[in-house]
Amino acid sequence: MKLCKWAHTRVFLALLVLILLGSASAAALQATPIPADRDWPLVSGATSDTRFENLGELARYLIEVRFDTDRQWLDGSVRIDFTNFTGVPLAAIPIRLYPNAPYYGEGSTTIRSVTVDGVVVEGELSVQDTVLTVGLGRLLPDGATTTIVVDFLTVVPVSSAGSFGIFNHDPERSTWILADWYPIVAGWDAGSGFQLKPPTLWGDPTFSQAAVYQARIDVPEGYDLVSTGRTVDREVILARTIHVIETGPVREFAMVIDDGFRTFERYAGETLVRLWLDGASADRLAWDFLDIAVRSLEVYGQRYGEYPYDELDIVQTELAGALGVSWSGIVFMDAQRLDAALDSGPELDDGVVFTMIHEIGHQWWGGIVGVNSNDYAFMNESVTNYLTVVVYDDLFGEEAAVVALRRWVAQPYLAMLESSGDGVVSTSIDDVSDAVTFGRLIYGKGALGMLAIRLAIGDDAFFAALRSYADEHAFGIATPGDLLHAFESASGLDLALLWRMWFEEARTTPLDVEQLMDAAA
């Protein structure tokens, strides 16, 4: 198979693996279809929710992989049953290989073979080896389905700070943090097609459509596995544990593997919320932290629609330059900061609490409601950061919410205004030269823009708009225009000028911010 830009070391590694381990399970994957009527693991009653009426076009992933702690690799195959949802015929499907991003160092994904509907095909690598274009040998009509099987080997980098450390082996804690680790179909933007840009230089690069997963993950006995989805079976064979995991409609499949967590569990309605700790922090504050997570999940669900999964995992991991990162059904919390917060007493550190509530919010804004987060990061971050303040109001009272709004939203943005002036919130990450400044725009100015809209249209219209927006775009991809339309439809007001001021222009002043804060107090 011809793969351009394939480094000689990767070819040698692939051949070596074939000799040592033999062919992987592509044939088995082809013989193991995922039934169209599978009972996806959603919370009780959720299958009758209108958000789940149009899921027939979602791709289905069947992953079988063996994890080798000594060689630092994941060896296996992924079967993708892809239904063409794009509205146009497709001659090829691009698959992202994020581990080949330059900032992951020795991290990589090597492709051994690809089949399309059982026929071996050639694939072509491009975009720094992070895109594998798979030709289908025919035009795939809109609504038709094809099956792609990719046999791959992913090497996990050690102590990598790339992309916040979301794909990394932390040897001190004996933890493997595994996001973006497997071949996944590139995200599709209705306006511009499949998104094939180089991985973003900062922030997680992932942009993908919702899909359904079934996975068999083979790990050494004695290791804990935390992942997106629900473990439906577990079997120990010859000092190995095979975890069988199923998901509902999710954006991706993330995992953390560790040599031993302590776990804390509570229910939010019918959803089991687990806290996985890798340190020796105090149990009392761990229970307090978990209690806030449970209450936050309930508040988000009451306001914006039921959390659709029966599990949520919050996992202590070593991150780089981030306090938290959220994936479908799983939240990473920075290990060192969480250790310090749980040991500080007598109360939890407010910054860690704010971060955790923010990351749970991403289960809705970025998880249930997808966006092209590379081009429109504010639709995830600005919305979530302001609604974190709303949760503060619901859980801790108005005074605590005002303090959080000023400390975690307004003050960083005001500092930026005073030092370097204003900037545009609605900016593609690819056009960002200063990540710190951009962060203050999307977490600060953009969040204040959400507050400005709330004050302009009133609480009833504001929260009704967000609920309808979440329902209408559940498991799809929304655009900035969709969010603006939701606010205008709920309020009957023309918000174009207000929207431009906070999201599309760079003319906001400190006085504008202070007046907004006074109105919110």
Side-chain angles (χ1 to χ4, degrees):
M1 180 174 63
K2 179 182 178 182
L3 295 178
C4 69
K5 300 183 181 178
W6 194 345
H8 293 298
T9 54
R10 290 184 183 163
V11 176
F12 175 76
L13 183 58
L15 293 173
L16 179 62
V17 171
L18 286 171
I19 293 170
L20 293 176
L21 300 178
S23 176
S25 53
L29 288 174
Q30 290 180 15
T32 313
I34 301 176
D37 59 352
R38 173 169 299 283
D39 183 18
W40 300 336
L42 308 171
V43 295
S44 177
T47 51
S48 63
D49 193 306
T50 56
R51 293 178 298 175
F52 307 108
E53 289 179 350
N54 300 309
L55 301 183
E57 292 184 344
L58 295 187
R60 298 165 185 264
Y61 287 72
L62 177 58
I63 298 173
E64 294 193 1
V65 69
R66 179 183 176 91
F67 174 58
D68 190 316
T69 56
D70 294 329
R71 295 181 175 89
Q72 308 286 342
W73 68 38
L74 298 135
D75 170 39
S77 296
V78 56
R79 163 183 166 159
I80 307 169
D81 293 338
F82 177 85
T83 300
N84 185 359
F85 63 89
T86 66
V88 297
L90 297 175
I93 296 174
I95 295 174
R96 297 306 305 239
L97 308 176
Y98 289 115
N100 290 339
Y103 44 68
Y104 287 135
E106 73 269 27
S108 65
T109 292
T110 299
I111 303 302
R112 297 197 194 93
S113 66
V114 182
T115 65
V116 175
D117 297 325
V119 178
V120 176
V121 300
E122 291 188 351
E124 184 171 351
L125 287 171
S126 60
V127 193
Q128 301 172 336
D129 291 359
T130 66
V131 174
L132 173 70
T133 301
V134 177
L136 303 179
R138 63 185 175 104
L139 283 179
L140 183 69
D142 184 51
T145 300
T146 188
T147 296
I148 300 171
V149 177
V150 182
D151 201 9
F152 70 95
L153 180 81
T154 290
V155 176
V156 183
V158 178
S159 301
S160 170
S163 193
F164 297 142
I166 62 174
F167 176 61
N168 172 41
H169 172 215
D170 174 13
E172 292 187 8
R173 293 179 180 267
S174 193
T175 303
W176 285 262
I177 307 162
L178 303 171
D180 292 341
W181 59 274
Y182 61 94
I184 184 171
V185 174
W188 171 274
D189 187 297
S192 54
F194 286 113
Q195 298 300 287
L196 307 179
K197 301 175 184 177
T200 54
L201 294 178
W202 65 278
D204 63 88
T206 319
F207 170 43
S208 57
Q209 261 66 27
V212 179
Y213 288 78
Q214 185 181 59
R216 291 173 55 87
I217 311 296
D218 179 345
V219 303
E221 188 178 4
Y223 281 81
D224 290 327
L225 171 65
V226 189
S227 75
T228 297
R230 175 182 63 190
T231 299
V232 297
D233 192 20
R234 186 182 291 108
E235 185 178 8
V236 177
I237 302 176
L238 298 176
R240 307 279 305 183
T241 303
I242 299 173
H243 301 259
V244 180
I245 301 163
E246 294 181 347
T247 80
V250 295
R251 296 288 161 187
E252 70 291 303
F253 188 87
M255 304 189 298
V256 178
I257 299 172
D258 188 88
D259 64 352
F261 282 116
R262 291 184 300 134
T263 59
F264 302 78
E265 300 180 352
R266 279 186 179 160
Y267 275 89
E270 297 180 69
T271 297
L272 177 62
V273 183
R274 290 194 187 96
L275 174 62
W276 303 77
L277 295 183
D278 194 35
S281 51
D283 285 3
R284 181 185 64 81
L285 288 181
W287 286 113
D288 290 347
F289 186 76
L290 180 60
D291 180 62
I292 295 172
V294 167
R295 292 161 62 199
S296 300
L297 195 71
E298 291 171 340
V299 167
Y300 279 118
Q302 291 162 5
R303 285 195 178 275
Y304 316 114
E306 185 179 17
Y307 178 73
Y309 315 118
D310 49 18
E311 291 185 10
L312 174 65
D313 294 303
I314 303 172
V315 190
Q316 184 177 32
T317 61
E318 195 72 42
L319 298 176
L323 293 183
V325 182
S326 185
W327 308 95
S328 295
I330 183 170
V331 170
F332 299 169
M333 292 293 297
D334 180 64
Q336 295 187 35
R337 187 65 181 271
L338 186 55
D339 272 340
L342 297 180
D343 283 335
S344 61
E347 296 180 349
L348 289 163
D349 174 82
D350 189 59
V352 170
V353 170
F354 191 91
T355 299
M356 180 264 289
I357 295 174
H358 174 104
E359 298 306 334
I360 290 177
H362 277 310
Q363 297 299 311
W364 279 262
W365 317 114
I368 297 173
V369 181
V371 302
N372 181 345
S373 56
N374 295 331
D375 288 343
Y376 306 114
F378 80 98
M379 291 186 66
N380 280 349
E381 302 304 342
S382 300
V383 173
T384 302
N385 221 36
Y386 176 64
L387 296 182
T388 301
V389 175
V390 173
V391 175
Y392 258 66
D393 196 344
D394 288 336
L395 296 186
F396 310 124
E398 183 178 354
E399 183 178 347
V402 171
V403 171
L405 178 66
R406 183 165 290 278
R407 177 181 298 173
W408 306 117
V409 177
Q411 285 183 349
Y413 175 53
L414 282 170
M416 188 204 82
L417 283 178
E418 293 168 359
S419 64
S420 59
D422 200 14
V424 175
V425 170
S426 183
T427 301
S428 171
I429 294 177
D430 296 311
D431 297 328
V432 171
S433 58
D434 181 352
V436 173
T437 297
F438 186 60
R440 291 179 175 181
L441 286 169
I442 61 174
Y443 293 102
K445 180 182 179 181
L448 292 172
M450 290 294 118
L451 170 60
I453 291 172
R454 179 182 179 180
L455 293 174
I457 69 177
D459 282 7
D460 289 347
F462 182 78
F463 290 111
L466 288 171
R467 179 62 181 261
S468 65
Y469 169 73
D471 287 345
E472 181 178 354
H473 299 286
F475 308 110
I477 302 294
T479 68
D482 294 325
L483 183 55
L484 174 59
H485 175 73
F487 287 129
E488 291 184 331
S489 295
S491 65
L493 298 176
D494 183 346
L495 300 174
L497 291 177
L498 190 64
W499 184 274
R500 284 201 297 271
M501 172 182 174
W502 288 100
F503 304 111
E504 297 176 350
E505 298 176 341
R507 60 182 181 87
T508 306
T509 67
L511 179 60
D512 293 323
V513 176
E514 292 297 347
Q515 289 176 340
L516 194 64
M517 295 296 296
D518 290 341

